[in-house]
Amino acid sequence: MLKNKRTRTSDEINAGSMADIAFLLLIFFLVTTTISAEKGIMAKLPPYDDDPPQHVPVNTRNILSVKVNKDDLLLVKGKELSIGELKDFAYGFIMNYGKDDNLSEKPKKAIVSLQNDRSTSYEAYISVYNEIKAAYNQAWNEQAEKRFNDEYENLTIPQKKEIQKEIPLVISEAEPTEI
Amino acid sequence: MSRFKNKQGKETPKVSTASLPDIVFMLLFFFMVVTVIRQKETLVDITLPQATEIAKLQNSRKTEHIYIGQDRRATTHEAPRVQINDKFIQVDDIHFTIADPAKDDDIIALEVDREVSMGIVTDVKTEIRKANRLKIHYMANQDYEK
């Protein structure tokens, strides 16, 4: 009789409240944490040099000069453009292959030159940078389609390097003007 | 016959809830793994700009963040300030703080308020270049309208 009782008590721990505890923890985590999307535009800065940069003669047709003034207005190759037109213009400039005398001779020689005022807003700067990146991404994608029959995203790293060698992304940022 | 009747009278068996904790724990682990707890509290107000050509930050544990924006406690419009590691920093001192040859390949994430002017951003970028930390990320939110 006695023995029987003892075996019954050490039967099993009631796991019914386990769900409640787990729910409590779950709700705690749900409330306290925010899924932060850590995303951004990748960029590489040039190394710092104390000397003023040397003047390298470049044919002006190969430079896409983009100026953003203090009112966030754009001047692209001497013409006023809106931000919505910039991507197509930049794409036309990169992939010109010598057709238009004012645009680049070939993608390898194309350089984008960015200049802004000190009071240009960061938002305007980022949208210009974004549009130029978008133009290059489009060019890379089309080149990838032509060469490897696949989207640029899906290529292997050596393949991507090959495409970037053909269409290099060169953005030169001038010192901002003091306005 | 009696056996047949017996079966019919039986109530529908209860759904076993024994696996409920397992399911909840699975959800719990999922959330614990997916979410990143931010230890750093920002002292500046930041609304990130929007962009389309954005990439996810690789190795986000190793990245250093630099925040530029207006002081949260400011009541009037003030000049933007720079924050690194929980405290404000003078722009000229940034390159001392972040220079570290071992970290040259690690990314610096620039979290800048969209209304900040480019002057201070350029100064900070020059400091980053002085520290030879050349890989940066301009943090931005996905623009879904385009």
Side-chain angles (χ1 to χ4, degrees):
Chain A
M1 188 66 178
L2 197 84
K3 204 183 173 190
N4 201 353
K5 209 174 183 180
R6 206 186 267 170
T7 48
R8 211 201 285 166
T9 47
S10 63
D11 219 349
E12 227 178 83
I13 298 166
N14 184 10
S17 53
M18 191 79 110
D20 302 349
I21 297 166
F23 261 122
L24 214 75
L25 277 168
L26 178 65
I27 289 163
F28 169 76
F29 270 93
L30 272 172
V31 170
T32 51
T33 54
T34 47
I35 300 179
S36 61
E38 303 255 275
K39 287 176 175 173
I41 302 174
M42 238 188 324
K44 207 158 185 245
L45 298 175
Y48 184 75
D49 203 342
D50 274 324
D51 310 321
Q54 281 182 317
H55 188 77
V56 187
V58 182
N59 196 339
T60 44
R61 70 180 287 189
N62 288 323
I63 302 176
L64 180 75
S65 72
V66 182
K67 291 180 180 171
V68 193
N69 75 355
K70 64 177 173 46
D71 299 320
D72 299 348
L73 297 170
L74 301 183
L75 196 70
V76 184
K77 264 189 170 285
K79 268 194 300 182
E80 265 189 64
L81 275 190
S82 74
I83 186 77
E85 297 165 314
L86 180 60
K87 185 191 164 189
D88 289 335
F89 188 84
Y91 179 77
F93 164 81
I94 302 159
M95 305 303 273
N96 182 46
Y97 288 106
K99 273 176 265 160
D100 190 320
D101 284 341
N102 288 319
L103 304 178
S104 76
E105 289 170 60
K106 51 184 172 183
K108 254 187 197 170
K109 287 195 171 180
I111 293 173
V112 178
S113 157
L114 263 182
Q115 189 172 32
N116 48 266
D117 294 335
R118 282 188 73 89
S119 44
T120 302
S121 81
Y122 180 69
E123 192 175 21
Y125 171 81
I126 283 297
S127 55
V128 167
Y129 207 100
N130 185 55
E131 293 305 304
I132 287 167
K133 267 229 139 158
Y136 270 96
N137 276 338
Q138 194 188 335
W140 288 339
N141 257 331
E142 272 169 37
Q143 195 69 10
E145 203 70 49
K146 224 189 280 172
R147 289 281 308 274
F148 304 108
N149 246 330
D150 206 346
E151 269 182 56
Y152 180 74
E153 276 298 307
N154 303 333
L155 298 185
T156 60
I157 289 166
Q159 283 174 325
K160 277 185 184 176
K161 284 211 167 131
E162 207 172 307
I163 296 228
Q164 291 209 15
K165 224 174 170 183
E166 284 170 40
I167 310 175
L169 169 64
V170 186
I171 297 181
S172 130
E173 291 186 52
E175 282 291 310
T177 50
E178 297 285 335
I179 303 173
Chain B
M1 186 63 190
S2 63
R3 208 192 283 168
F4 191 69
K5 201 184 174 188
N6 203 354
K7 212 174 182 180
Q8 218 171 27
K10 221 184 189 177
E11 285 174 43
T12 47
K14 278 186 183 167
V15 178
S16 165
T17 54
S19 54
L20 195 60
D22 301 350
I23 296 164
V24 175
F25 265 117
M26 216 155 71
L27 272 170
L28 177 66
F29 288 141
F30 170 77
F31 273 95
M32 283 171 72
V33 169
V34 162
T35 51
V36 188
I37 298 178
R38 260 188 202 223
Q39 309 101 322
K40 284 173 200 157
E41 209 171 313
T42 52
L43 304 169
V44 289
D45 256 332
I46 286 171
T47 315
L48 292 176
Q50 292 194 316
T52 52
E53 311 301 310
I54 54 179
K56 223 179 150 195
L57 202 58
Q58 301 292 324
N59 244 338
S60 60
R61 264 162 224 274
K62 279 165 101 183
T63 45
E64 250 176 294
H65 289 252
I66 297 181
Y67 307 89
I68 308 174
Q70 193 173 265
D71 193 338
R72 239 176 230 282
R73 296 163 303 179
T75 46
T76 53
H77 192 76
E78 279 181 17
R81 303 185 71 180
V82 183
Q83 179 200 345
I84 302 177
N85 296 335
D86 290 338
K87 50 179 184 283
F88 289 121
I89 187 165
Q90 293 297 318
V91 174
D92 301 337
D93 299 335
I94 292 173
H95 71 275
F96 297 118
T97 315
I98 59 171
D100 185 350
K103 288 185 184 170
D104 278 355
D105 280 337
D106 293 349
I107 293 163
I108 289 192
L110 275 180
E111 301 205 24
V112 185
D113 187 77
R114 56 167 72 172
E115 277 164 23
V116 166
S117 60
M118 276 310 287
I120 187 166
V121 180
T122 311
D123 294 341
V124 169
K125 269 161 67 186
T126 310
E127 289 292 314
I128 296 171
R129 285 168 59 201
K130 278 186 193 164
N132 203 32
R133 303 280 302 268
L134 303 176
K135 288 184 179 171
I136 62 164
H137 243 82
Y138 297 112
M139 302 308 268
N141 289 329
Q142 177 79 50
D143 191 349
Y144 290 105
E145 280 169 32
K146 281 186 184 169

